[in-house]
């Protein structure tokens, strides 16, 4: 998509909105509200990537939004199984292959597989450590497709994970 087109500009504006909604999500006091805003973040990012011509990321963010809906239902029923993480991991890989944009699609695919697997882990500190792998991979993809919001989002997620690891390591001592 041409950088000066209306769709591209609207897409970049949506990416900033997705960043704002995503960060508000982490300020919510209940998992239900956090997941609701994560669903919205995934949908907004999906529209953003579609408008800037990054099809792999568009589809994978739509899958992420659906994943959050499923996790919301799963958490409500208090039935945590490995089915959802395995199903969404396979779905991310297949969708990435079917929508392959270029060599950089590998980065977002691996990053979102790591993100999906992290939902099966009940250890918050390990999830933060996995973000140290996921965020740089997604950051590389966002730089390659020139996603302004994606670059900010992954940069802030990476910084937040590092801070969380340091703070929680000191609490454990």
């Amino acid at each position: 998509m041409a950088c000066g087109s209306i769709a591209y500009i609207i897409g970049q504006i949506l990416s900033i909105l997705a960043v704002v909604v995503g960060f508000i999500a982490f300020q919510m006091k209940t998992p239900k509200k956090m997941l609701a805003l994560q669903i919205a973040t995934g949908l907004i990012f999906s529209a953003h990537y579609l408008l800037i011509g990054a099809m792999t990321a568009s589809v994978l963010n739509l899958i992420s939004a659906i994943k959050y809906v499923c996790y919301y239902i799963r958490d409500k029923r208090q039935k945590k199984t490995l089915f959802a993480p395995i199903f969404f991991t396979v779905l991310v890989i297949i969708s990435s292959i079917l929508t392959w944009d270029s060599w950089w699609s590998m980065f977002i695919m691996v990053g979102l597989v790591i993100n999906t697997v992290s939902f099966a882990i009940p250890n918050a500190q390990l999830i933060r450590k996995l973000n140290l792998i996921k965020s740089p991979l997604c950051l590389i993809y966002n730089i390659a497709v020139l996603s302004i919001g994606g670059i900010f989002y992954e940069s802030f997620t990476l910084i937040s994970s590092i801070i969380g690891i340091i703070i929680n390591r000191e609490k454990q001592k």
Side-chain angles (χ1 to χ4, degrees):
M1 187 116 348
C3 289
S5 75
I6 297 291
Y8 184 85
I9 293 167
I10 292 170
Q12 294 294 3
I13 292 168
L14 283 176
S15 76
I16 301 303
L17 175 62
V19 170
V20 171
V21 173
F23 286 109
I24 292 171
F26 291 112
Q27 306 309 311
M28 295 293 105
K29 294 183 183 191
T30 66
K32 181 179 176 181
K33 289 179 182 177
M34 285 178 76
L35 278 173
L37 287 175
Q38 286 296 331
I39 293 164
T41 301
L43 292 173
I44 297 167
F45 263 126
S46 182
H48 152 68
Y49 287 116
L50 180 66
L51 290 170
I52 69 166
M55 193 54 64
T56 302
S58 178
V59 170
L60 295 185
N61 274 274
L62 181 59
I63 290 169
S64 288
I66 295 167
K67 173 181 68 180
Y68 291 130
V69 169
C70 291
Y71 288 157
Y72 175 83
I73 293 167
R74 178 196 71 179
D75 291 351
K76 197 172 185 178
R77 292 182 179 168
Q78 297 179 341
K79 291 186 178 184
K80 294 186 179 186
T81 67
L82 289 179
F83 175 78
I86 292 169
F87 173 77
F88 284 108
T89 296
V90 171
L91 190 58
V92 163
I93 293 168
I94 291 170
S95 297
S96 295
I97 292 167
L98 293 175
T99 61
W100 198 261
D101 290 329
S102 187
W103 59 269
W104 53 74
S105 294
M106 178 65 73
F107 291 104
I108 193 143
M109 179 184 77
V110 174
L112 291 183
V113 163
I114 291 168
N115 179 258
T116 300
V117 170
S118 72
F119 277 98
I121 299 170
N123 182 320
Q125 194 71 336
L126 183 53
I127 292 169
R128 288 183 196 99
K129 289 177 182 176
L130 286 172
N131 261 335
L132 297 180
I133 302 168
K134 176 262 202 199
S135 286
L137 291 171
C138 292
L139 182 59
I140 291 167
Y141 178 85
N142 283 303
I143 291 168
V145 300
L146 299 173
S147 168
I148 295 168
I151 292 167
F152 281 117
Y153 190 81
E154 293 305 334
S155 297
F156 290 134
T157 300
L158 186 57
I159 292 166
S160 177
S161 295
I162 291 168
I163 292 168
I165 289 168
I166 293 168
I167 289 171
N168 288 291
R169 184 178 340 151
E170 290 177 8
K171 285 182 181 178
Q172 290 173 345
K173 290 181 180 180

